[in-house]
Amino acid sequence: KVIKISPQAIAVWVALLVAGLAYRYLSDGGFPGYFVFLMVAGVLPSVVLVRNVKQFVNWHALAFSFGTLVFISVIWEASLALPYGWWAYKHDEMLGIYFVAWANLPLEAVMLWLVGVWDAVMFYELFRILFHKDEPIRHGLFGKPGAETGGP
């Protein structure tokens, strides 16, 4: 069984989502669509999968990939694209938290740098685990119907 949901992790995820929605609503009454998308499509899979997949992650490769991505993203997005107007964001869809020193780079852009690499690794490891099992994918993800799940 690959999917093991941690109630504490779900509680933290819900708290972050509600905090983001409340922050944007209280600041100007808008809806942070990009933040919600990142939380649902990017962070939620990690919350669901991390307990079982983390033991298979090559942490050195992840660190290298993450460092490379952040380096390229800072050069492109924060230092060139935004200041020169080659790239822009729809501010009405953003949370409203910006990095002023990086030409008002939105928090969601930095979140995407984090979530993008991590989710790619998580899903790669998930599919690697599932394709090496001798059982249907449904049973690999959720366990066999009627089977007791033991352990933490």
Side-chain angles (χ1 to χ4, degrees), residues 16-103:
L16 288 172
L17 183 63
V18 168
L21 290 168
Y23 177 83
R24 177 63 197 267
Y25 181 77
L26 293 174
S27 58
D28 68 357
F31 180 77
Y34 198 55
F35 174 76
V36 171
F37 173 78
L38 281 171
M39 289 296 291
V40 172
V43 178
L44 186 59
S46 294
V47 168
V48 172
L49 299 173
V50 74
R51 293 179 83 186
N52 283 339
V53 175
K54 68 182 176 184
Q55 63 189 346
F56 299 103
V57 173
N58 180 344
W59 294 101
H60 292 93
L62 175 67
F64 177 77
S65 299
F66 179 72
T68 303
L69 179 86
V70 168
F71 177 69
I72 291 169
S73 296
V74 166
I75 289 173
W76 164 248
E77 209 162 349
S79 300
L80 293 172
L82 284 176
Y84 289 105
W86 301 337
W87 187 266
Y89 291 96
K90 295 179 98 180
H91 293 287
D92 56 329
E93 291 293 323
M94 297 295 153
L95 193 57
I97 300 172
Y98 299 97
F99 294 97
V100 178
W102 282 344

XYZ file of all heavy atoms in Angstrom, residues 16-103:
709
model
N -2.574 25.525 5.902
C -1.876 26.402 4.948
C -2.819 26.903 3.861
O -2.778 28.082 3.480
C -0.697 25.666 4.318
C 0.502 25.416 5.215
C 1.507 24.512 4.513
C 1.150 26.729 5.618
N -3.667 26.020 3.365
C -4.628 26.413 2.334
C -5.600 27.465 2.868
O -5.826 28.498 2.227
C -5.386 25.190 1.828
C -6.374 25.421 0.687
C -5.648 25.907 -0.559
C -7.136 24.153 0.392
N -6.139 27.225 4.050
C -7.078 28.180 4.654
C -6.379 29.503 4.962
O -6.940 30.578 4.740
C -7.728 27.578 5.920
C -8.477 28.622 6.717
C -8.649 26.439 5.528
N -5.133 29.432 5.440
C -4.385 30.667 5.730
C -4.177 31.490 4.460
O -4.329 32.717 4.472
C -3.046 30.331 6.375
N -3.829 30.828 3.359
C -3.653 31.539 2.092
C -4.945 32.157 1.598
O -4.966 33.312 1.151
N -6.027 31.387 1.669
C -7.326 31.921 1.243
C -7.753 33.096 2.118
O -8.238 34.119 1.616
C -8.387 30.818 1.287
C -8.246 29.729 0.227
C -9.159 28.558 0.551
C -8.551 30.281 -1.148
N -7.565 32.959 3.426
C -7.948 34.033 4.348
C -7.091 35.281 4.137
O -7.605 36.400 4.141
C -7.830 33.546 5.792
N -5.792 35.086 3.927
C -4.897 36.233 3.708
C -5.349 37.040 2.498
O -5.455 38.257 2.550
C -3.458 35.756 3.530
C -2.499 36.874 3.242
C -1.976 37.638 4.279
C -2.129 37.185 1.945
C -1.116 38.682 4.023
C -1.266 38.216 1.666
C -0.759 38.970 2.707
O 0.093 40.008 2.454
N -5.603 36.338 1.400
C -6.004 37.049 0.186
C -7.381 37.680 0.340
O -7.621 38.808 -0.076
C -5.984 36.086 -1.002
C -6.441 36.697 -2.306
C -5.511 37.833 -2.747
N -6.129 38.657 -3.747
C -5.996 38.479 -5.055
N -5.236 37.510 -5.508
N -6.596 39.284 -5.884
N -8.307 36.956 0.956
C -9.654 37.482 1.133
C -9.649 38.728 2.018
O -10.317 39.719 1.730
C -10.581 36.426 1.727
C -11.988 36.918 1.909
C -12.846 37.024 0.827
C -12.451 37.299 3.165
C -14.139 37.496 0.988
C -13.740 37.767 3.339
C -14.577 37.867 2.241
O -15.850 38.351 2.409
N -8.857 38.681 3.096
C -8.818 39.825 4.017
C -8.037 41.000 3.448
O -8.279 42.144 3.839
C -8.215 39.393 5.359
C -9.068 38.398 6.154
C -8.309 37.917 7.389
C -10.410 39.001 6.523
N -7.108 40.755 2.530
C -6.338 41.872 1.984
C -7.113 42.624 0.902
O -7.103 43.843 0.888
C -4.982 41.408 1.461
O -5.133 40.416 0.482
N -7.789 41.906 -0.010
C -8.550 42.635 -1.027
C -9.799 41.904 -1.520
O -10.409 42.314 -2.494
C -7.659 43.004 -2.209
C -7.206 41.803 -3.018
O -7.528 40.669 -2.630
O -6.531 42.013 -4.035
N -10.143 40.811 -0.864
C -11.354 40.098 -1.227
C -11.234 39.207 -2.447
O -12.236 38.671 -2.913
N -10.030 39.037 -2.955
C -9.850 38.226 -4.155
C -9.678 36.745 -3.848
O -9.734 36.303 -2.704
N -9.478 35.982 -4.921
C -9.262 34.547 -4.808
C -7.897 34.205 -5.383
O -7.625 34.497 -6.555
C -10.359 33.793 -5.569
C -10.202 32.297 -5.504
C -10.556 31.612 -4.359
C -9.695 31.589 -6.580
C -10.415 30.230 -4.284
C -9.552 30.212 -6.518
C -9.912 29.534 -5.373
N -7.006 33.584 -4.595
C -5.652 33.260 -5.075
C -5.645 31.956 -5.880
O -5.240 30.901 -5.402
C -4.852 33.133 -3.780
C -5.857 32.637 -2.783
C -7.160 33.272 -3.175
N -6.092 32.018 -7.120
C -6.241 30.824 -7.936
C -4.952 30.049 -8.135
O -4.939 28.817 -8.087
N -3.855 30.760 -8.358
C -2.581 30.087 -8.600
C -2.086 29.382 -7.332
O -1.574 28.274 -7.391
C -1.555 31.092 -9.112
C -0.372 30.470 -9.792
C -0.535 29.595 -10.861
C 0.916 30.746 -9.376
C 0.549 29.019 -11.484
C 2.012 30.177 -9.994
C 1.820 29.312 -11.049
O 2.898 28.746 -11.656
N -2.273 30.011 -6.199
C -1.891 29.403 -4.920
C -2.713 28.145 -4.656
O -2.167 27.113 -4.261
C -2.086 30.422 -3.782
C -1.860 29.857 -2.417
C -0.571 29.622 -1.959
C -2.922 29.558 -1.582
C -0.359 29.091 -0.692
C -2.722 29.042 -0.322
C -1.429 28.804 0.123
N -4.006 28.210 -4.891
C -4.870 27.049 -4.673
C -4.468 25.917 -5.617
O -4.394 24.754 -5.211
C -6.361 27.428 -4.849
C -7.246 26.199 -4.848
C -6.782 28.393 -3.750
N -4.182 26.242 -6.873
C -3.741 25.223 -7.824
C -2.456 24.550 -7.349
O -2.335 23.325 -7.383
C -3.530 25.832 -9.211
C -2.932 24.873 -10.185
C -3.712 23.901 -10.779
C -1.579 24.925 -10.487
C -3.159 22.997 -11.671
C -1.018 24.032 -11.373
C -1.807 23.063 -11.972
N -1.491 25.337 -6.896
C -0.235 24.767 -6.406
C -0.451 23.901 -5.170
O 0.176 22.850 -5.021
C 0.771 25.869 -6.079
C 1.496 26.476 -7.266
C 2.295 27.699 -6.823
C 2.389 25.468 -7.924
N -1.329 24.324 -4.294
C -1.592 23.536 -3.087
C -2.283 22.212 -3.423
O -1.947 21.184 -2.851
C -2.446 24.338 -2.105
C -1.725 25.491 -1.447
S -0.363 24.980 -0.403
C -1.218 24.197 0.939
N -3.228 22.232 -4.355
C -3.975 21.019 -4.690
C -3.173 20.111 -5.613
O -3.055 18.918 -5.369
C -5.343 21.378 -5.317
C -6.039 20.143 -5.855
C -6.212 22.080 -4.289
N -2.610 20.659 -6.678
C -1.914 19.828 -7.663
C -0.452 19.570 -7.307
O 0.136 18.603 -7.791
C -1.984 20.488 -9.034
N 0.124 20.402 -6.460
C 1.536 20.256 -6.146
C 1.848 19.748 -4.761
O 2.644 18.837 -4.583
N 1.214 20.323 -3.759
C 1.552 19.977 -2.380
C 0.747 18.772 -1.885
O 1.293 17.908 -1.195
C 1.348 21.202 -1.445
C 1.654 20.839 -0.016
C 2.231 22.356 -1.900
N -0.513 18.676 -2.258
C -1.349 17.567 -1.776
C -0.803 16.184 -2.166
O -0.780 15.294 -1.322
C -2.790 17.738 -2.257
C -3.796 16.730 -1.712
C -3.839 16.786 -0.181
C -5.178 16.984 -2.291
N -0.327 15.973 -3.399
C 0.256 14.660 -3.697
C 1.448 14.323 -2.800
O 1.628 13.165 -2.406
C 0.686 14.774 -5.159
C -0.189 15.820 -5.728
C -0.434 16.787 -4.618
N 2.238 15.303 -2.468
C 3.361 15.063 -1.564
C 2.886 14.647 -0.185
O 3.457 13.749 0.434
C 4.225 16.317 -1.443
O 4.847 16.596 -2.662
N 1.846 15.299 0.290
C 1.298 14.967 1.606
C 0.818 13.522 1.629
O 1.009 12.800 2.603
C 0.145 15.947 1.961
C -0.633 15.468 3.169
C 0.699 17.337 2.206
N 0.229 13.081 0.530
C -0.333 11.729 0.461
C 0.750 10.674 0.258
O 0.674 9.586 0.809
C -1.395 11.663 -0.663
C -1.856 10.249 -0.893
C -2.575 12.566 -0.332
N 1.784 10.970 -0.511
C 2.755 9.959 -0.920
C 4.051 9.919 -0.121
O 4.759 8.922 -0.144
C 3.116 10.157 -2.396
C 1.986 10.024 -3.390
C 2.461 10.410 -4.775
C 1.451 8.610 -3.384
N 4.397 10.981 0.561
C 5.738 11.108 1.121
C 6.100 10.018 2.124
O 7.251 9.608 2.209
C 5.952 12.516 1.721
C 5.219 12.676 3.036
C 7.434 12.797 1.892
N 5.162 9.501 2.854
C 5.482 8.508 3.894
C 6.099 7.241 3.317
O 6.964 6.634 3.946
C 4.237 8.162 4.697
C 3.756 9.339 5.522
C 2.529 8.996 6.285
N 2.922 8.304 7.513
C 2.060 7.773 8.359
N 0.780 7.826 8.097
N 2.469 7.181 9.436
N 5.676 6.815 2.153
C 6.200 5.587 1.576
C 7.256 5.818 0.509
O 8.109 4.976 0.292
C 5.075 4.743 0.984
C 4.314 4.025 2.057
O 4.811 3.836 3.152
N 3.101 3.640 1.747
N 7.190 6.923 -0.183
C 8.090 7.144 -1.304
C 9.448 7.688 -0.857
O 10.460 7.447 -1.508
C 7.418 8.083 -2.330
C 8.331 8.444 -3.457
C 6.159 7.422 -2.876
N 9.504 8.358 0.284
C 10.738 9.024 0.707
C 11.914 8.078 0.870
O 13.058 8.465 0.680
C 10.515 9.819 1.986
C 10.253 8.985 3.213
C 10.002 9.858 4.423
C 9.655 9.001 5.619
N 9.312 9.816 6.768
N 11.658 6.820 1.187
C 12.764 5.876 1.366
C 13.437 5.510 0.050
O 14.551 5.000 0.046
C 12.262 4.626 2.065
C 11.217 3.857 1.285
C 10.604 2.747 2.121
O 11.121 2.391 3.153
N 9.485 2.229 1.651
N 12.795 5.771 -1.085
C 13.352 5.436 -2.391
C 14.005 6.624 -3.084
O 14.611 6.465 -4.139
C 12.260 4.866 -3.303
C 11.652 3.611 -2.763
C 10.403 3.637 -2.163
C 12.333 2.415 -2.834
C 9.839 2.482 -1.656
C 11.776 1.249 -2.328
C 10.533 1.286 -1.734
N 13.871 7.810 -2.525
C 14.386 9.022 -3.166
C 15.901 9.071 -3.075
O 16.487 8.826 -2.025
C 13.762 10.283 -2.510
C 14.396 11.549 -3.025
C 12.264 10.305 -2.733
N 16.527 9.397 -4.184
C 17.963 9.641 -4.213
C 18.156 11.114 -3.811
O 18.031 12.018 -4.630
C 18.508 9.375 -5.613
C 19.996 9.598 -5.719
O 20.613 10.230 -4.859
N 20.570 9.090 -6.791
N 18.449 11.339 -2.547
C 18.479 12.695 -2.005
C 19.587 13.546 -2.590
O 19.425 14.761 -2.747
C 18.556 12.645 -0.480
C 17.313 12.056 0.095
C 17.129 10.786 0.555
C 16.040 12.696 0.211
N 15.832 10.594 0.961
C 15.135 11.752 0.769
C 15.568 13.966 -0.090
C 13.805 12.055 1.012
C 14.240 14.261 0.170
C 13.377 13.319 0.707
N 20.711 12.935 -2.954
C 21.798 13.698 -3.575
C 21.383 14.210 -4.954
O 21.640 15.361 -5.306
C 23.067 12.848 -3.673
C 23.668 12.543 -2.356
N 23.373 11.401 -1.660
C 24.545 13.239 -1.588
C 24.041 11.402 -0.525
N 24.760 12.512 -0.451
N 20.732 13.352 -5.725
C 20.255 13.767 -7.043
C 19.174 14.829 -6.918
O 19.132 15.786 -7.703
C 19.737 12.563 -7.821
N 18.298 14.673 -5.930
C 17.253 15.674 -5.714
C 17.871 17.023 -5.358
O 17.458 18.057 -5.883
C 16.298 15.221 -4.614
C 15.226 16.231 -4.223
C 14.239 16.438 -5.354
C 14.509 15.802 -2.971
N 18.854 17.022 -4.485
C 19.508 18.269 -4.086
C 20.187 18.936 -5.283
O 20.102 20.160 -5.455
C 20.519 18.007 -2.982
N 20.838 18.137 -6.113
C 21.488 18.695 -7.307
C 20.455 19.282 -8.260
O 20.616 20.401 -8.751
C 22.321 17.627 -8.018
C 22.946 18.127 -9.281
C 24.072 18.930 -9.233
C 22.397 17.818 -10.505
C 24.642 19.413 -10.399
C 22.947 18.292 -11.678
C 24.075 19.089 -11.620
N 19.390 18.534 -8.521
C 18.335 19.016 -9.428
C 17.678 20.279 -8.888
O 17.441 21.236 -9.629
C 17.266 17.946 -9.622
O 17.810 16.811 -10.192
N 17.405 20.276 -7.596
C 16.768 21.439 -6.988
C 17.682 22.659 -7.051
O 17.252 23.756 -7.415
C 16.382 21.126 -5.547
C 15.752 22.281 -4.851
C 14.471 22.686 -5.178
C 16.439 22.970 -3.870
C 13.889 23.760 -4.542
C 15.865 24.046 -3.233
C 14.585 24.446 -3.570
N 18.952 22.462 -6.708
C 19.901 23.577 -6.766
C 20.045 24.138 -8.162
O 20.086 25.355 -8.366
N 20.110 23.259 -9.146
C 20.222 23.695 -10.539
C 18.981 24.466 -10.967
O 19.077 25.527 -11.600
C 20.430 22.478 -11.459
O 21.590 21.770 -11.032
C 20.589 22.897 -12.903
N 17.811 23.955 -10.623
C 16.573 24.625 -11.000
C 16.456 26.001 -10.352
O 16.085 26.970 -11.017
C 15.365 23.778 -10.626
C 14.041 24.454 -10.982
C 13.672 24.142 -12.412
C 12.971 24.044 -10.041
N 16.792 26.097 -9.083
C 16.706 27.395 -8.403
C 17.705 28.382 -9.008
O 17.377 29.545 -9.248
C 16.917 27.238 -6.880
C 17.113 28.582 -6.211
C 15.742 26.514 -6.253
N 18.906 27.923 -9.300
C 19.920 28.787 -9.922
C 19.422 29.333 -11.260
O 19.479 30.543 -11.519
C 21.223 28.002 -10.102
C 22.312 28.760 -10.786
C 22.928 29.824 -10.150
C 22.713 28.416 -12.065
C 23.937 30.537 -10.786
C 23.715 29.115 -12.700
C 24.330 30.183 -12.066
N 18.920 28.467 -12.115
C 18.424 28.893 -13.427
C 17.196 29.789 -13.269
O 17.065 30.802 -13.964
C 18.109 27.671 -14.308
C 19.412 26.964 -14.683
C 17.332 28.069 -15.556
C 19.223 25.617 -15.330
N 16.312 29.450 -12.341
C 15.103 30.242 -12.144
C 15.410 31.633 -11.621
O 14.779 32.612 -12.037
C 14.149 29.527 -11.181
O 13.713 28.318 -11.740
N 16.369 31.737 -10.722
C 16.743 33.061 -10.205
C 17.361 33.897 -11.320
O 17.049 35.090 -11.470
C 17.706 32.939 -8.999
C 18.348 34.274 -8.677
C 16.950 32.416 -7.794
N 18.214 33.292 -12.130
C 18.818 34.046 -13.236
C 17.748 34.477 -14.232
O 17.687 35.635 -14.631
C 19.914 33.214 -13.934
C 21.124 33.084 -13.023
C 20.321 33.855 -15.262
C 22.189 32.157 -13.554
N 16.906 33.532 -14.650
C 15.922 33.850 -15.673
C 14.790 34.705 -15.130
O 14.564 35.823 -15.586
C 15.352 32.574 -16.303
C 14.084 32.837 -17.063
C 12.837 32.412 -16.730
C 13.928 33.638 -18.228
N 11.919 32.876 -17.629
C 12.561 33.646 -18.562
C 14.807 34.366 -19.024
C 12.063 34.327 -19.656
C 14.301 35.044 -20.114
C 12.948 35.019 -20.422
N 14.081 34.170 -14.165
C 12.838 34.802 -13.748
C 13.064 36.063 -12.922
O 12.492 37.112 -13.205
C 12.014 33.794 -12.946
C 10.551 34.020 -13.045
C 9.771 32.790 -12.615
O 10.340 31.710 -12.436
O 8.561 32.950 -12.452
N 13.894 35.951 -11.895
C 14.050 37.067 -10.959
C 15.004 38.138 -11.464
O 14.837 39.310 -11.147
C 14.521 36.533 -9.610
N 16.018 37.753 -12.232
C 17.034 38.727 -12.640
C 16.849 39.260 -14.052
O 17.309 40.359 -14.349
C 18.426 38.102 -12.538
O 18.675 37.695 -11.213
N 16.210 38.497 -14.927
C 16.064 38.953 -16.312
C 14.603 39.165 -16.725
O 14.242 40.242 -17.174
C 16.724 37.939 -17.268
C 18.238 37.829 -17.173
C 18.734 36.668 -18.019
C 18.895 39.120 -17.599
N 13.802 38.133 -16.621
C 12.460 38.177 -17.204
C 11.560 39.236 -16.574
O 10.941 40.023 -17.290
C 11.810 36.805 -17.105
N 11.459 39.243 -15.256
C 10.580 40.226 -14.604
C 11.103 41.660 -14.715
O 10.345 42.548 -15.109
C 10.345 39.851 -13.146
C 9.367 38.701 -12.918
C 9.282 38.355 -11.437
C 8.009 39.021 -13.469
N 12.380 41.923 -14.397
C 12.834 43.314 -14.490
C 12.755 43.901 -15.897
O 12.473 45.085 -16.065
C 14.291 43.251 -14.021
C 14.390 42.017 -13.212
C 13.406 41.065 -13.803
N 12.975 43.089 -16.928
C 12.945 43.592 -18.298
C 11.582 43.460 -18.964
O 11.416 43.807 -20.125
C 14.013 42.881 -19.142
C 15.413 43.311 -18.775
C 16.233 42.477 -18.045
C 15.889 44.560 -19.142
C 17.512 42.859 -17.685
C 17.167 44.962 -18.793
C 17.979 44.110 -18.063
O 19.236 44.499 -17.721
N 10.622 42.916 -18.246
C 9.275 42.814 -18.784
C 9.076 41.690 -19.792
O 8.121 41.702 -20.559
N 9.958 40.714 -19.811
C 9.823 39.586 -20.735
C 8.833 38.554 -20.212
O 8.445 37.640 -20.934
C 11.167 38.903 -20.951
C 12.232 39.775 -21.507
C 12.065 40.929 -22.225
C 13.638 39.599 -21.384
N 13.269 41.471 -22.553
C 14.269 40.667 -22.042
C 14.438 38.642 -20.775
C 15.638 40.788 -22.126
C 15.806 38.775 -20.867
C 16.396 39.830 -21.524
N 8.481 38.678 -18.962
C 7.645 37.696 -18.291
C 6.780 38.453 -17.308
O 7.222 39.443 -16.732
C 8.568 36.717 -17.556
C 7.921 35.533 -16.936
C 7.495 35.434 -15.645
C 7.657 34.290 -17.536
N 6.986 34.187 -15.420
C 7.078 33.453 -16.576
C 7.855 33.772 -18.813
C 6.691 32.155 -16.838
C 7.478 32.480 -19.065
C 6.904 31.689 -18.087
N 5.553 38.024 -17.128
C 4.676 38.729 -16.189
C 3.711 37.732 -15.547
O 3.561 36.606 -16.026
C 3.898 39.824 -16.905
N 3.082 38.164 -14.485
C 2.111 37.349 -13.763
C 0.786 38.098 -13.690
O 0.759 39.320 -13.694
C 2.597 37.049 -12.339
C 3.770 36.130 -12.296
C 5.060 36.617 -12.212
C 3.586 34.757 -12.346
C 6.141 35.763 -12.184
C 4.660 33.896 -12.316
C 5.940 34.400 -12.230
O 6.997 33.548 -12.208
N -0.300 37.339 -13.602
C -1.622 37.939 -13.390
C -1.762 38.183 -11.895
O -2.027 37.262 -11.134
C -2.710 37.005 -13.896
C -2.681 36.782 -15.389
C -3.758 35.837 -15.802
C -4.894 36.676 -16.300
N -6.026 35.866 -16.750
N -1.564 39.399 -11.475
C -1.550 39.722 -10.044
C -2.893 39.473 -9.366
O -2.939 39.225 -8.164
C -1.084 41.163 -9.831
C 0.350 41.358 -10.214
N 1.390 40.884 -9.456
C 0.915 41.940 -11.304
C 2.539 41.178 -10.041
N 2.275 41.815 -11.169
N -3.978 39.506 -10.136
C -5.281 39.254 -9.516
C -5.470 37.780 -9.157
O -6.362 37.438 -8.392
C -6.421 39.735 -10.419
C -6.375 39.116 -11.804
O -5.283 38.809 -12.296
O -7.457 38.951 -12.404
N -4.622 36.883 -9.667
C -4.676 35.464 -9.333
C -3.637 35.064 -8.274
O -3.574 33.912 -7.878
C -4.458 34.604 -10.583
C -5.591 34.661 -11.566
C -6.867 34.037 -11.034
O -6.787 33.019 -10.325
O -7.946 34.561 -11.333
N -2.826 36.009 -7.859
C -1.753 35.716 -6.911
C -2.228 35.915 -5.473
O -3.223 36.566 -5.206
C -0.548 36.618 -7.175
C 0.083 36.425 -8.517
S 0.785 34.792 -8.647
C 0.712 34.539 -10.379
N -1.432 35.367 -4.572
C -1.721 35.456 -3.148
C -1.572 36.888 -2.638
O -2.300 37.320 -1.755
C -0.776 34.519 -2.386
C -1.053 34.208 -0.947
C -2.436 33.611 -0.768
C -0.012 33.247 -0.414
N -0.626 37.609 -3.200
C -0.399 38.991 -2.783
C 0.867 39.173 -1.970
O 1.103 40.233 -1.403
N 1.706 38.128 -1.901
C 2.990 38.215 -1.207
C 4.072 38.202 -2.274
O 4.158 37.267 -3.078
C 3.176 37.036 -0.234
C 2.065 37.041 0.806
C 4.549 37.090 0.424
C 2.034 35.831 1.700
N 4.904 39.244 -2.290
C 5.910 39.405 -3.336
C 7.292 39.608 -2.746
O 7.434 40.172 -1.660
C 5.558 40.604 -4.224
C 4.230 40.462 -4.919
C 3.081 41.036 -4.394
C 4.123 39.732 -6.092
C 1.863 40.888 -5.019
C 2.907 39.578 -6.726
C 1.781 40.162 -6.191
O 0.572 40.012 -6.810
N 8.298 39.159 -3.474
C 9.690 39.407 -3.115
C 10.115 40.680 -3.834
O 10.416 40.664 -5.029
C 10.578 38.228 -3.522
C 10.284 36.978 -2.751
C 9.443 36.004 -3.282
C 10.829 36.772 -1.498
C 9.161 34.855 -2.573
C 10.547 35.625 -0.772
C 9.706 34.656 -1.314
N 10.147 41.776 -3.097
C 10.413 43.085 -3.687
C 11.815 43.149 -4.288
O 12.015 43.717 -5.367
C 10.216 44.198 -2.629
C 10.533 45.567 -3.202
C 8.792 44.158 -2.095
N 12.797 42.549 -3.631
C 14.174 42.592 -4.131
C 14.319 41.877 -5.470
O 15.271 42.133 -6.206
C 15.117 41.966 -3.110
N 13.405 40.995 -5.806
C 13.438 40.279 -7.089
C 12.333 40.793 -8.005
O 11.581 40.020 -8.586
C 13.271 38.787 -6.875
C 14.489 38.075 -6.393
C 15.772 38.530 -6.406
C 14.530 36.771 -5.823
N 16.604 37.596 -5.879
C 15.874 36.505 -5.512
C 13.578 35.812 -5.541
C 16.283 35.312 -4.943
C 13.988 34.631 -4.974
C 15.320 34.384 -4.681
N 12.232 42.080 -8.153
C 11.277 42.715 -9.072
C 9.845 42.261 -8.813
O 9.101 41.974 -9.738
C 11.677 42.464 -10.528
